[in-house]
Each structure stands twice: as structure tokens, then as C-alpha cells.
Amino acid sequence: MTDVARTTATITRLGHQGDGVALGPLFAPRTLPDEEVSGIVDGSQLTDIRIETPSEHRVQAPCRHYKSCGGCQLQHASDEFVADWKLEIVKNALTAQGLEAEFRPLHTSPAQSRRRATLAVRRTKKGAMAGFHGRASGVITPIPDCLLLDPALIAAIPLAEALAMAGASRKTPLSVTLTTSETGLDVLVREGKPLDSTLRGTLAALAGQHGVARLTWEDEQVAMEQPPLQAFGSARVCTPAGSFLQATRDGEDALLASVLEITKGAKRVVDLFAGCGTFSLPLAASAEVYALESEPEMIAALEAGWRQGKGLKKLKSEVRDLFRNPLLPEDLKPFGAFYEAAVIDPPRAGAEAQVAQLAETQIPTIAYVSCNPVTFARDAKVLVAAGYRLNWVQVVDQFRWSAHTEVVASFTLDG
């Protein structure tokens, strides 16, 4: 059998997914700029990679699972390199739109702080196996010493395996989402067998044995020892199973600190894409809030948290699809007093239609929270063209060792 020829390449940069990029383009995972590497070309990918000349920024990956696990992309790079690279991604996105801003130092969440993880769990001949899929692979890698996840999630791996033994088919792995809460684990299972009375009883027993706050199987709540509560300011919210939640408590606190700084002094705030109240409820400690979100269950959770909160000011909420039906300037008029600030935290697609209308409201202060630098920069250009000043940007890295990043930006209306 003829040996496959190896190709040598120089990595010139990192792509947005964290892969090294050589001329071609040729993508080489887990490489760094200026490294000389060799490998086998497979389409646009370089496989079977060897590092011939390592970068000065290359480090020994701290997690023993890194080689086989697909959960992290950048453990082979120094913290300083990753921080600079993530800041540069946001700066380049703004530059592409003809914008610039003051950048504050990047905030990085610590190791072992991820409060939610979705594990793949497969039944085996000897029992069950839970972990993350390997990179671009259907193979499950066990992660008993994962450095990314909150220890409470690691401790729940036996529960995930027991759930697979009880309700997984031999062909399809379970998807088990584990979320920490103030009252215990919130567990959501998908891709399992259909529920029947026997399976319900088994699952309820497992939830009790493992001290689970709530267990949801597909869309049906199977057991709830107590509501799984998340703290948003002074309020406590029982978030719907699987609903959006910031990846780490540390990252959420950093985002919130920036939002509160930007909106400081505002007596009336509109919160667009409000979710379950991540920003609305802390803001309600000092301002009247108008919260809009497309998911009825999330709005219901937000309202319940506000009702049970102490010392919170008036909060009005509305279920509204802000992509198809953006909030218009005239929609704010029936509520009387002037809105002094807006918070907007859209999904990765950004909020092109809503930002165009938001610019027309002439609300003097806007806090924009984003998980996608490219769509953030696109929307920022619209605001700047409408007369807003982009004052500063705070980059928050709560997705440690990954290619993802979060942004908070302060906009004020000139004049």
C-alpha cells in the first residue's frame, strides 16, 4: 500500500472557529499562527497534523481529555494569546464596518464555571457512557476530569448514565442537558424512549436518588422536588427547561455589571429579547422596565420572578417576536413617560430590523449585548449612522477555551 503524501504548510491566522488557516485556504485544527505544520490534505482540511515548528504561544493543554474531546478548541494556546485574539475579532468586525471604539480589558470566566452542559450518553454492552463528542466525530469521549464544567455537573455523570440505562435505545444516544440552580440540578433529556408508566416511575425514582430539583423528559416534566431557581438580581426565577441562560454565573455578572453601568440613572428602561429576566429583573430594582421576549414560557417565568421579588419597581412584559414584529417608536407612546435607556440582547443573528426601529426611537442610551461580533458590528453601524456614539466595548469570554465570545457596548445619542 502506497503511503499518502504529507504536505507542509505555514499557519497564517486563526479562523473564527479557532482553526489555523494556511494558504489555500487550508484549515488545520488546534494550530496557531506562524507554526510550521505537516499533514494530509483532505479537501480544505489538513488531517493527521504534526507540529513541526511550534508557536511561542503554544502551551500544554491543561485538560487530559483535550486530545480526544471536542468540547474545547483553544487549550493549546496561552491565555494571553486567546485574550488578544478574541479582542482582535471584535475590533476587526467593527473596522470592517468603518467603526472604532475604546476597548476595556477582556473579562474571562474561570475554569470549572460552566453551569450548563449537554452530554451525549450511549448505552453499551457493559452499561452506559456519558461525555462529549470528539471533534467532528460521533464517538463519545468520557470527561470525568473536565476542567470546563462546574463540579456539580461532573458529579451528575452517573445520573446521566443511569438515565440512559433506563430510557435510551441501543441505536440513539440520549441528549442530557444538566443545569445548576440554587436548589439543585435541572435535567432535560431528549432522544429517549417514549414515556410509559413504567419508565415514568423509574425516572422519578432516579431523580429522587440523585437529588434532582427537576427532571424533564422531552417536553414532559417527570419529577420536580423543588423549582430549579436562578437568581436574577434579588428575584428568583424558575426558568423553563432548556431555556436560554448565560453560560457561566461569572460571565452573567460581568455582562450585568456593564449593562447597569450603561443604564445608570435611567428611570424607565425597555429590555428587548429579555429572556427570563437576566437584565430586566436586576434593572427593576431602580427603574420601571418594559420587557419583550418571543417565548411565552420565558415571559411567564420572568413575571413570576418579578411578582415574588422584593422592592422591585413596575415591570410590564409582552410576548412579541421582535424579528417579525419589531418594537416601533409609536409603540412606546401609549406608556407615557420617556424611556431613558434600552437594553438589547439578540440571538446570534443580531437584530437588524429591531435596531433600525430602535434608532428611530431616539432613546438616549443603549446597552447592546451580543454573542456574535459580526452581527453586532453590522447593527452598531446602523446606530452610529442614526447619530449614536459608540462609547466603549467590553468583551466577556465566558466560553473559555472556545472560539465564542460575548460583547457589551455602550451607545449614547450625540447632541
Side-chain angles (χ1 to χ4, degrees):
M1 181 176 179
T2 304
D3 290 338
V4 178
R6 295 184 66 82
T7 296
T8 300
T10 300
I11 304 303
T12 59
R13 61 184 176 88
L14 291 193
H16 278 201
Q17 299 303 312
D19 286 353
V21 184
L23 291 178
L26 197 60
F27 296 92
R30 297 181 176 177
T31 60
L32 295 172
D34 299 325
E35 289 189 327
E36 294 288 335
V37 303
S38 66
I40 298 171
V41 176
D42 182 4
S44 62
Q45 300 291 315
L46 194 66
T47 63
D48 191 26
I49 295 169
R50 297 175 192 162
I51 309 299
E52 306 294 347
T53 306
S55 164
E56 62 179 336
H57 302 296
R58 178 170 287 276
V59 298
Q60 179 69 36
C63 181
R64 72 179 182 90
H65 305 305
Y66 184 58
K67 185 176 181 179
S68 55
C69 176
C72 295
Q73 296 90 48
L74 292 165
Q75 284 195 11
H76 61 286
S78 69
D79 288 347
E80 294 79 10
F81 173 88
V82 174
D84 290 344
W85 177 68
K86 292 196 173 188
L87 285 171
E88 201 65 26
I89 285 176
V90 183
K91 291 178 181 178
N92 289 342
L94 288 172
T95 299
Q97 298 291 348
L99 302 174
E100 59 182 22
E102 171 195 337
F103 273 73
R104 295 183 169 186
L106 178 138
H107 177 94
T108 302
S109 292
Q112 295 184 303
S113 64
R114 285 289 292 272
R115 60 180 172 183
R116 170 175 287 175
T118 299
L119 303 179
V121 195
R122 182 183 294 280
R123 288 177 59 191
T124 66
K125 291 181 179 180
K126 296 182 179 180
M129 175 188 297
F132 291 142
H133 283 116
R135 180 183 172 88
S137 168
V139 177
I140 297 173
T141 300
I143 52 166
D145 297 318
C146 176
L147 298 183
L148 186 67
L149 304 185
D150 185 295
L153 302 184
I154 298 297
I157 289 175
L159 165 63
E161 293 173 343
L163 291 169
M165 292 296 293
S169 70
R170 279 293 179 89
K171 295 183 178 180
T172 306
L174 284 187
S175 170
V176 180
T177 300
L178 306 169
T179 306
T180 64
S181 82
E182 293 200 340
T183 50
L185 275 183
D186 190 12
V187 182
L188 170 64
V189 182
R190 298 200 182 279
E191 307 299 330
K193 294 178 180 179
L195 281 172
D196 57 25
S197 58
T198 301
L199 181 55
R200 281 191 184 88
T202 302
L203 295 175
L206 284 173
Q209 292 166 13
H210 290 267
V212 170
R214 178 175 63 186
L215 174 60
T216 306
W217 193 266
E218 299 294 349
D219 296 319
E220 184 173 333
Q221 182 177 296
V222 174
M224 186 159 74
E225 178 65 25
Q226 51 191 330
L229 299 178
Q230 302 294 339
F232 297 143
S234 64
R236 298 296 181 267
V237 177
C238 179
T239 57
S243 62
F244 175 78
L245 192 67
Q246 295 293 345
T248 69
R249 181 75 208 193
D250 172 88
E252 180 178 289
D253 288 345
L255 296 172
L256 176 60
S258 290
V259 167
L260 292 177
E261 178 184 347
I262 295 166
T263 60
K264 185 177 180 180
K267 299 302 181 184
R268 289 168 65 88
V269 181
V270 59
D271 185 8
L272 303 161
F273 303 95
C276 294
T278 303
F279 303 122
S280 290
L281 293 169
L283 285 166
S286 59
E288 293 184 6
V289 177
Y290 179 19
L292 299 99
E293 165 60 44
S294 64
E295 297 295 330
E297 297 84 1
M298 297 176 80
I299 283 290
L302 185 156
E303 290 177 338
W306 173 75
R307 285 194 300 270
Q308 296 167 15
K310 295 181 179 180
L312 300 182
K313 295 187 179 296
K314 180 180 178 182
L315 184 143
K316 171 182 169 57
S317 62
E318 180 182 342
V319 176
R320 184 163 179 160
D321 185 337
L322 297 173
F323 289 106
R324 298 183 178 183
N325 184 23
L327 187 72
L328 306 177
E330 53 264 34
D331 293 332
L332 296 176
K333 293 177 181 177
F335 304 113
F338 184 63
Y339 279 85
E340 296 149 310
V343 178
I344 182 167
D345 182 13
R348 289 189 61 79
E352 194 168 15
Q354 181 58 78
V355 165
Q357 296 300 326
L358 183 59
E360 294 296 321
T361 66
Q362 299 291 284
I363 291 174
T365 300
I366 297 173
Y368 193 125
V369 183
S370 172
C371 59
N372 185 340
V374 173
T375 56
F376 158 69
R378 178 202 67 198
D379 292 347
K381 183 178 181 179
V382 173
L383 293 174
V384 170
Y388 285 86
R389 177 188 299 274
L390 174 52
N391 299 305
W392 51 263
V393 173
Q394 172 71 68
V395 180
V396 176
D397 183 10
Q398 62 175 326
F399 295 95
R400 191 183 182 101
W401 298 316
S402 85
H404 301 294
T405 191
E406 301 266 345
V407 175
V408 190
S410 164
F411 293 87
T412 51
L413 194 61
D414 277 348

